[in-house]
Amino acid sequence: MSNDIQNKVEELVNYIMKKCLWQFHSRTWDRKRQNDNILGMTAQLIYGGDVKPATPEEKCYWADAVCLADAFRNRFGWLADMDRADKEALMTGLKERIDFLTVTGSLNLELTDVHY
Amino acid sequence: MTCEILERTRAGIINPIFTCQPCGAQYASIGIDRCIGIVHGGQGCVMFVRLLFSQHFKESFELASTSLHEDGAVFGALNRVEEAVDVLLMRYPDVKVVPIISTCATEVIGDDIDGVVRKLNEGLLREKFAGREVHLIPIHTPSFVGSMISGYDIAVRDFVSYFARKGQPTNKINLITGWVNPGDVSALKHLLKAMEIDANLLFEIENFDAPLMPSGNTVAHGDTTIEDLRETANAVGTIALNRYEGGKAAEYLQKEFGVPAVIGPAPIGIRNTDTLLKHLSDMTGKPIPESLVRERGIALDALTDIVHMFLADKRVAIYANPDLAIGLAEFCMDLEMQPVLLLLGDDNSNYAKDPRVKALREHAYFDMEIVTNADLWELEDRIKNKGLKLDLILGHSKGRFVSIDYGIPMVRVGFPVYDRAGMYRHPVLGYQGATYLAETMANTIFTDMEYKKNKEWVLNVW
Amino acid sequence: MPYHLFKCSQCIPEREKHAVIKGVGEDISMALPLGYLNTIPGTISERGCAYCGAKHVIGTPMKDVIHLSHGPVGCTYDTWQTKRYISDNNNFQLKYTFASDMKEKHIVFGAEQLLKKNILDAFAAFPDIKRMTIYQTCASALIGDDINALADEIMEENPDVDIFVCNSPGFGGPSQSGGHHKINIAWINQKVGTVNPSIDADYVINYVGEYNIQGDQEVMMDYFKRMGIYVLATFTGNGSYDDLRAMHKAHLNVLECARSAEYICNELRVRYGIPRMDIDGFGFEPLSASLRKVGLFFGIEERALTIIEEENARWQPELDWYKARLMHKKVCLWPGGSKLWHWANAIHEEMGVDVVSVYTKFGHQGDMEKGISRCEEGALAVDDPNELEGLEAMETLQPDIIFTGKRPGEVAKKIRVPYLNAHAYHNGPWKGFEGWVRFARDMYNGIYSPIHQLSLLDISQDEIPTDKGFVTNRMLSDADLSDEVRNDPNLRPYTGNYDCVSPLRNKVYPEFPRKEKEVSVA
């Protein structure tokens, strides 16, 4: 990943960590599920694709994804100038980084507790 | 016209008048200089009591917990007492007095706090804190016995019995105030000063009304010292103002050291203040000075202005700490008021035998009920469902909604009072207290008359 | 991200891993305070017990319930009238509290018969109330009373009553949070799914982790109603017992305080497939995003956008008036468990203050992950703080104001730091758009209090200014403002009323056309 993309990833990470709560569900599997779905849908929206949530669960991810994609577009003007490949690199980098911060690199000792 | 003495028959408490014993022990311990109590139990037993004190005094007081958790509840938690003492002493180098206050949980699991204190005295204190004066005092206050009243009484006795040592006579008297406010202590000191009497005050809590100073951290604290407690054995005599809050300590000093004890009455109202002055004079040989004759005269002048025009025949319900409640009822009688309901909020069987209660029963010329082991539902139920008519309620803030919901004016008195500003500053004791109480009752009734447009025009000329 | 060991805690080095300072470029994967561990005895921690976490925080805001604690009287007394969770049924839950009044003989011989008589007597005293929650305490847990069996027996004998049993003794966990957990799980196990009302609404939510402090819930209900959303149950502020038994019938759980109530949302998701949506009711931007998300979920985004537009137009000029005057004021954000993350970023961005420290009395590491993430660099984050650490932090950080509980607020007062009540609020509600302005107003009034300014003057040493008979908060706050800001015609201070909640109770809401039953798939 280029430095430029990496810096941009950090801007997006910063936005999520300051403004969102969905990435901080209480257990590893929930965080993974949230990150996969919400960031997955957000990426589709950023790429200009259409996401059609069918189930209540998908609608819940989608609602967060729509708000996130809009916030990214509104706050980070540079996003509009990116091509698809860069956007993919950006969103892949974002997903990796959020997964790291909230799951694989998290120091939260409660994440693996089998009970809620 | 009868006065009945009843006991709550309903199981359980709806809206309690008192909290449990550990609170009383904590209240006593904050009156001592360089003292931080450690409560052996769940964290709530301390956290909420600290909150309660801060609600009443608008101050924070230092009290620690052993923080009983699940493992301790199962396996015993004496190790947590040891750790708490160690941690507290390390971090608070000025602390000398550390009562270890038990709770229901640690009494049920049978933690031997006396044993652990012996162990700490022989081990930790000798090894790690050698040369430092530290007093660990076990105080047993299981929550399922008595109430905050007995907890206070026990703690005062335990502090006194721990420290009191026979020595040279001090020519002082011991004045055990009971559960009072800083304003009361000021009023008592004022009387003592006028009588030129040197007194050892248990507890010296005037500084519970702590200032906001431009520099430094003025934590509210009590000022009774170890020395003060030690010298209680060498006093001319002891006056415990409240039978149920400090009476045990006075009895202990009499029995153990031959210090003559006078127990009660609390100087609530003119007559009881007269009695206190007589007791003080008898004990010390000091005359009652002209200045107090004059002060008493000012009080009587003030009372005369309001008694028969406004207070006479007013029907009053009273709930408060027992000595305060009884004292208020007696004062109401003198003020021509009718204390029709008196609630005593725990199961102490001595209340019914108390001569002051007997006297009330004998001389009530109106229908009066005295309920022991009472809760605030005994008050509300009578108003809501049994036709009790009241003109005034005297009590603490926990009963505020009875006043609010049934439109009965209320004078906040006792502990805790958190829904009126600065009440801890105003005395209810002494001649000044009598004036304050009577005028506050009158003013409260006046406000109610105006609010309800109930002959409010009467006040046009008076 | 370096751990921070307070000077006062050098003798208890295990405290070191309970505090961190967020350094430049550092994140939560580098250091995270330990959390939710057993308290070190004797530290003078600010934590409460698991009984209060269950009964006082979550149980009692339920408004149509007899709340009976099985134990000695103290637990009941101590947790009564210390909070501001109001309700629209004349505050029954604030006014009445019940204790079984366990005494020594019951400890010895058992207290089940006592409890049984208690239950019947309490229902008899309040014949209109048919619902009860019984809370275990340390004492009743240790003597082993089987409260559940007794409750079942009484329900069998009295079919018109329903009883919930919460077994959360004070010692059950490191802090009140243990009780939050226990009551969440007990409620879903015992009560959810036991009634099945027919619900005639298109958009049905549970509003979870909301306790109606000074009317917060009612403010949020106003928005939901304006969107045509039916709030089936609120867990638990201003909430109804029977509504909460029907939580399984909602389409969506909208979760506010995840610290105290994420457990039930997680279980509702697993057991009933109801999605969990975390929201923020505090702050214009987070609240707007939250309303929009709920709207998106139901396909009624435009209704949310209408509210957001109206509310922003009404209140933004007032929020900005305060922001101009609160810029870079230093704040210690020291609440219980969730507000450190609810507020840390929102007050920085929307009111301009700098959060120099966050702490959590009873939170978990998850709360610190959120809280630290939402802080700016340099902030000090502390888990399970104690009295001396709090004082040391205030002396080091020199905050202009702190947000904490009532009792620690008195500690701050003595070192001349103004405080706002983070749990009960000063003049709330603080949720909602108007509420957020009220928070800013309270902050402004605290920081710029002329009396506070007087407390900094030492008349024995300092030059006493003799040229003023008074000073106003406006004189203090506007002294260094540019004319442009001071006279900005677009800004104004708060114009709402003292009570902004009661009027909502009689408000009439528009009826929205119902969704077509059969939705054709294109």
Side-chain angles (χ1 to χ4, degrees):
Chain A
M1 205 183 334
S2 72
N3 264 347
D4 180 51
I5 295 277
Q6 205 158 355
N7 290 339
K8 289 187 162 72
V9 165
E10 284 309 316
E11 288 187 54
L12 301 189
V13 167
N14 186 50
Y15 177 83
I16 290 173
M17 297 307 260
K18 291 258 169 71
K19 305 288 183 186
C20 301
L21 294 169
W22 50 259
Q23 73 277 22
F24 284 125
H25 277 208
S26 40
R27 298 290 179 262
T28 295
W29 54 90
D30 286 328
R31 289 187 177 187
K32 196 84 184 66
R33 178 180 51 71
Q34 290 281 100
N35 294 353
D36 288 350
N37 284 285
I38 292 168
L39 290 177
M41 288 184 192
T42 307
Q44 289 308 311
L45 295 168
I46 293 290
Y47 303 154
D50 199 9
V51 180
K52 285 202 161 42
T55 65
E57 186 184 344
E58 286 170 7
K59 281 183 194 165
C60 194
Y61 303 133
W62 176 75
D64 266 312
V66 169
C67 289
L68 188 59
D70 280 356
F72 283 173
R73 287 194 206 97
N74 291 338
R75 284 176 183 249
F76 307 110
W78 40 257
L79 203 54
D81 303 329
M82 276 185 155
D83 62 18
R84 170 81 185 216
D86 279 352
K87 282 180 180 171
E88 282 183 17
L90 177 78
M91 295 307 288
T92 306
L94 175 64
K95 173 72 167 45
E96 280 170 9
R97 187 79 182 123
I98 293 290
D99 276 347
F100 174 76
L101 286 173
T102 63
V103 184
T104 54
S106 171
L107 301 172
N108 184 343
L109 300 171
E110 290 184 348
L111 287 186
T112 52
D113 191 331
V114 294
H115 300 295
Y116 286 126
Chain B
M1 300 302 152
T2 56
C3 174
E4 278 190 278
I5 184 148
L6 313 162
E7 192 173 0
R8 170 174 54 90
T9 52
R10 202 171 6 90
I13 297 268
I14 304 175
N15 294 357
I17 295 176
F18 302 145
T19 184
C20 58
Q21 287 210 117
C23 172
Q26 291 175 74
Y27 190 63
S29 74
I30 59 174
I32 298 173
D33 184 40
R34 292 162 204 259
C35 170
I36 296 182
I38 294 176
V39 180
H40 186 32
Q43 292 168 148
C45 309
V46 176
M47 190 271 259
F48 280 105
V49 168
R50 296 182 79 198
L51 175 60
L52 183 67
F53 295 161
S54 82
Q55 281 184 280
H56 178 83
F57 292 108
K58 318 301 179 200
E59 303 282 355
S60 174
F61 295 89
E62 288 162 336
L63 288 155
S65 173
T66 59
S67 301
L68 180 73
H69 300 313
E70 236 141 23
D71 49 348
V74 177
F75 301 112
L78 288 172
N79 60 321
R80 297 188 71 81
V81 179
E82 295 181 45
E83 193 180 350
V85 169
D86 188 16
V87 168
L88 186 79
L89 292 179
M90 283 194 290
R91 301 175 83 226
Y92 290 84
D94 295 333
V95 164
K96 291 182 176 173
V97 184
V98 184
I100 312 293
I101 298 164
S102 74
T103 60
C104 50
T106 53
E107 291 283 346
V108 171
I109 64 176
D111 268 2
D112 177 11
I113 57 172
D114 302 83
V116 82
V117 162
R118 280 194 298 276
K119 184 182 171 195
L120 287 164
N121 281 335
E122 286 157 19
L124 183 80
L125 295 192
R126 230 180 250 177
E127 288 151 20
K128 188 165 176 180
F129 298 99
R132 176 165 165 188
E133 182 185 8
V134 175
H135 304 276
L136 304 178
I137 306 165
I139 298 180
H140 292 271
T141 45
S143 320
F144 45 76
V145 174
S147 69
M148 68 186 206
I149 305 300
S150 55
Y152 182 86
D153 203 25
I154 287 167
V156 177
R157 182 203 59 198
D158 287 358
F159 283 121
V160 166
S161 66
Y162 178 91
F163 285 109
R165 288 290 175 279
K166 200 71 197 166
Q168 293 300 309
T170 59
N171 263 332
K172 284 187 179 180
I173 65 154
N174 300 319
L175 185 62
I176 304 179
T177 65
W179 194 311
V180 296
N181 276 318
D184 293 314
V185 172
S186 303
L188 290 168
K189 285 164 82 169
H190 164 76
L191 294 177
L192 292 165
K193 193 175 173 204
M195 298 270 296
E196 297 177 352
I197 292 173
D198 216 358
N200 191 350
L201 257 146
L202 304 187
F203 292 93
E204 173 53 273
I205 59 155
E206 237 179 338
N207 279 325
F208 282 9
D209 189 2
L212 232 180
M213 297 297 282
S215 61
N217 185 7
T218 47
V219 175
H221 61 86
D223 292 307
T224 293
T225 63
I226 292 171
E227 187 65 16
D228 294 335
L229 287 160
R230 195 170 286 143
E231 294 295 349
T232 53
N234 307 310
V236 177
T238 302
I239 295 179
L241 300 181
N242 289 351
R243 169 162 295 281
Y244 304 104
E245 298 155 7
K248 274 190 173 63
E251 282 164 0
Y252 170 83
L253 288 167
Q254 178 160 284
K255 187 159 163 262
E256 199 65 27
F257 300 102
V259 179
V262 175
I263 296 174
I268 296 165
I270 304 295
R271 206 175 296 274
N272 283 331
T273 304
D274 293 350
T275 304
L276 172 65
L277 296 186
K278 168 85 167 78
H279 288 158
L280 287 169
S281 181
D282 287 351
M283 195 172 273
T284 61
K286 299 272 175 73
I288 295 169
E290 178 64 24
S291 68
L292 289 181
V293 176
R294 186 179 161 77
E295 186 172 316
R296 183 175 184 270
I298 289 172
L300 286 171
D301 187 83
L303 300 190
T304 307
D305 291 340
I306 49 182
V307 172
H308 33 271
M309 194 180 316
F310 298 111
L311 298 181
D313 303 330
K314 290 285 188 274
R315 299 163 55 80
V316 190
I318 303 169
Y319 62 91
N321 287 22
D323 291 287
L324 176 58
I326 294 167
L328 289 170
E330 292 178 324
F331 187 35
C332 283
M333 294 292 224
D334 267 343
L335 294 174
E336 303 178 46
M337 303 170 87
Q338 299 178 6
V340 292
L341 181 64
L342 186 61
L343 302 177
L344 300 170
D346 63 24
D347 60 352
N348 189 333
S349 58
N350 291 320
Y351 298 151
K353 296 176 245 164
D354 192 305
R356 295 169 296 172
V357 170
K358 283 187 175 162
L360 286 169
R361 292 186 66 184
E362 203 174 316
H363 298 290
Y365 56 90
F366 44 87
D367 283 332
M368 176 177 184
E369 288 181 312
I370 300 173
V371 187
T372 64
N373 208 7
D375 56 18
L376 286 166
W377 185 247
E378 293 290 331
L379 170 62
E380 184 167 346
D381 184 42
R382 280 173 172 75
I383 299 166
K384 185 181 178 187
N385 301 316
K386 293 173 181 160
L388 177 67
K389 296 272 179 267
L390 292 172
D391 300 300
L392 190 67
I393 296 171
L394 301 180
H396 58 66
S397 295
K398 291 277 184 186
R400 63 192 299 260
F401 282 112
V402 181
S403 160
I404 294 165
D405 282 350
Y406 299 93
I408 301 163
M410 170 169 165
V411 171
R412 272 71 172 170
V413 60
F415 177 93
V417 174
Y418 43 78
D419 64 337
R420 289 293 183 273
M423 300 296 275
Y424 51 83
R425 193 169 296 117
H426 302 290
V428 298
L429 301 185
Y431 300 127
Q432 291 170 357
T435 310
Y436 167 78
L437 269 175
E439 289 181 341
T440 305
M441 287 194 279
N443 287 336
T444 302
I445 289 169
F446 297 161
T447 305
D448 186 67
M449 287 161 64
E450 290 162 1
Y451 185 72
K452 290 178 181 157
K453 297 202 185 336
N454 177 19
K455 295 187 64 169
E456 74 286 358
W457 38 260
V458 163
L459 295 162
N460 278 2
V461 55
W462 161 38
Chain C
M1 193 145 49
Y3 287 113
H4 176 75
L5 183 59
F6 288 92
K7 279 197 208 83
C8 62
S9 294
Q10 278 167 355
C11 56
I12 36 174
E14 58 268 48
R15 281 293 303 160
E16 179 171 17
K17 293 214 163 165
H18 291 266
V20 302
I21 294 170
K22 184 177 183 177
V24 177
E26 291 177 337
D27 63 55
I28 51 171
S29 71
M30 297 168 186
L32 187 68
L34 294 174
Y36 197 56
L37 296 178
N38 282 358
T39 316
I40 301 171
T43 49
I44 314 199
S45 154
E46 296 181 3
R47 284 171 160 181
C49 64
Y51 158 82
C52 93
K55 183 259 188 185
H56 190 42
V57 176
I58 297 187
T60 318
M62 280 190 214
K63 66 185 172 186
D64 47 9
V65 182
I66 289 171
H67 296 281
L68 170 62
S69 299
H70 184 32
V73 74
C75 314
T76 301
Y77 177 101
D78 290 354
T79 55
W80 173 45
Q81 292 193 13
T82 66
K83 277 190 167 258
R84 291 174 177 159
Y85 35 58
I86 56 172
S87 65
D88 57 12
N89 69 339
N90 203 19
N91 295 320
F92 179 81
Q93 76 293 347
L94 281 184
K95 290 178 184 171
Y96 300 101
T97 195
F98 302 74
S100 67
D101 195 25
M102 189 182 282
K103 290 292 180 186
E104 193 157 25
K105 62 184 176 196
H106 307 117
I107 300 285
V108 179
F109 299 111
E112 288 175 7
Q113 284 317 302
L114 169 80
L115 178 60
K116 180 164 187 181
K117 191 158 183 313
N118 250 279
I119 296 167
L120 299 174
D121 284 356
F123 278 128
F126 292 88
D128 297 337
I129 306 270
K130 299 292 184 191
R131 300 291 176 260
M132 176 181 284
T133 298
I134 304 175
Y135 304 91
Q136 198 184 40
T137 62
C138 290
S140 51
L142 289 168
I143 65 171
D145 277 355
D146 189 344
I147 304 176
N148 296 74
L150 189 65
D152 288 344
E153 185 187 315
I154 295 208
M155 283 192 279
E156 202 158 298
E157 291 165 5
N158 304 273
D160 58 335
V161 307
D162 200 85
I163 301 174
F164 167 57
V165 177
C166 174
N167 291 319
S168 178
F171 56 74
S175 69
Q176 43 269 66
S177 184
H180 305 155
H181 179 244
K182 286 192 171 73
I183 195 170
N184 270 251
I185 300 300
W187 185 263
I188 190 159
N189 284 345
Q190 282 179 49
K191 293 302 167 197
V192 173
T194 57
V195 294
N196 280 291
S198 66
I199 295 160
D200 187 29
D202 291 329
Y203 314 114
V204 183
I205 66 169
N206 295 318
Y207 186 28
V208 183
E210 162 56 58
Y211 304 104
N212 204 31
I213 305 297
Q214 293 210 27
D216 275 357
Q217 185 258 10
E218 295 173 76
V219 167
M220 295 295 285
M221 287 288 280
D222 176 53
Y223 303 139
F224 293 134
K225 286 179 186 167
R226 282 156 70 183
M227 288 171 70
I229 290 171
Y230 178 66
V231 178
L232 170 60
T234 303
F235 187 89
T236 55
N238 201 27
S240 220
Y241 185 101
D242 280 2
D243 292 346
L244 284 154
R245 294 164 75 189
M247 286 180 91
H248 60 295
K249 304 270 282 187
H251 303 141
L252 179 69
N253 284 314
V254 174
L255 175 59
E256 189 89 56
C257 175
R259 175 65 283 126
S260 60
E262 67 177 358
Y263 317 102
I264 198 165
C265 285
N266 291 341
E267 293 291 345
L268 284 163
R269 198 182 66 75
V270 172
R271 298 186 199 188
Y272 298 97
I274 307 170
R276 158 184 166 180
M277 181 181 279
D278 291 41
I279 68 154
D280 269 313
F282 297 106
F284 282 26
E285 189 197 3
L287 173 56
S288 299
S290 297
L291 295 176
R292 187 177 167 219
K293 279 197 319 191
V294 177
L296 281 164
F297 177 86
F298 287 117
I300 49 172
E301 184 194 6
E302 72 290 349
R303 295 184 193 172
L305 296 178
T306 305
I307 293 172
I308 294 164
E309 197 178 326
E310 283 171 13
E311 295 287 328
N312 270 289
R314 171 69 183 83
W315 299 109
Q316 192 76 52
E318 305 191 3
L319 183 64
D320 289 347
W321 190 91
Y322 291 104
K323 183 180 183 180
R325 289 157 177 83
L326 293 171
M327 285 304 280
H328 298 305
K329 290 296 171 190
K330 289 190 286 182
V331 168
C332 284
L333 174 47
W334 287 354
S338 69
K339 287 182 184 112
L340 68 153
W341 44 267
H342 271 309
W343 294 349
N345 181 254
I347 57 177
H348 176 65
E349 296 232 339
E350 301 189 359
M351 301 181 194
V353 300
D354 294 335
V355 177
V356 294
S357 177
V358 291
Y359 82 33
T360 172
K361 293 180 211 295
F362 56 76
H364 297 227
Q365 285 185 300
D367 300 293
M368 274 299 188
E369 287 184 301
K370 296 180 204 175
I372 292 171
S373 296
R374 287 181 161 196
C375 281
E376 300 302 306
E377 284 155 357
L380 167 68
V382 191
D383 166 68
D384 178 24
N386 56 61
E387 188 99 344
L388 290 177
E389 291 175 354
L391 279 165
E392 187 175 321
M394 282 191 280
E395 274 153 23
T396 314
L397 299 168
Q398 298 285 315
D400 294 294
I401 193 162
I402 82 167
F403 309 148
T404 187
K406 190 254 173 310
R407 206 259 329 137
E410 302 295 345
V411 178
K413 176 179 81 179
K414 281 293 189 282
I415 55 170
R416 299 161 308 283
V417 176
Y419 108 100
L420 295 184
N421 192 321
H423 311 301
Y425 310 154
H426 268 49
N427 286 293
W430 286 351
K431 261 185 196 160
F433 293 90
E434 180 175 3
W436 199 238
V437 176
R438 293 167 76 95
F439 186 13
R441 182 267 322 262
D442 287 350
M443 215 183 286
Y444 169 88
N445 286 345
I447 290 173
Y448 293 110
S449 158
I451 294 298
H452 171 64
Q453 193 209 24
L454 285 176
S455 76
L456 305 173
L457 178 77
D458 184 344
I459 52 167
S460 72
Q461 291 175 24
D462 301 339
E463 186 66 34
I464 299 176
T466 56
D467 60 335
K468 290 188 188 68
F470 64 90
V471 164
T472 66
N473 53 11
R474 197 71 67 90
M475 289 159 73
L476 296 171
S477 68
D478 287 12
D480 298 324
L481 284 185
S482 68
D483 284 346
E484 195 188 348
V485 176
R486 190 185 301 129
N487 304 319
D488 188 335
N490 298 315
L491 304 184
R492 59 175 187 264
Y494 182 58
T495 56
N497 294 322
Y498 180 66
D499 178 5
C500 66
V501 173
S502 300
L504 296 174
R505 294 178 185 165
N506 303 316
K507 191 168 163 180
V508 178
Y509 290 89
E511 294 228 6
F512 290 95
R514 293 297 300 270
K515 208 163 66 170
E516 285 175 39
K517 286 278 182 226
E518 295 292 320
V519 182
S520 57
V521 181

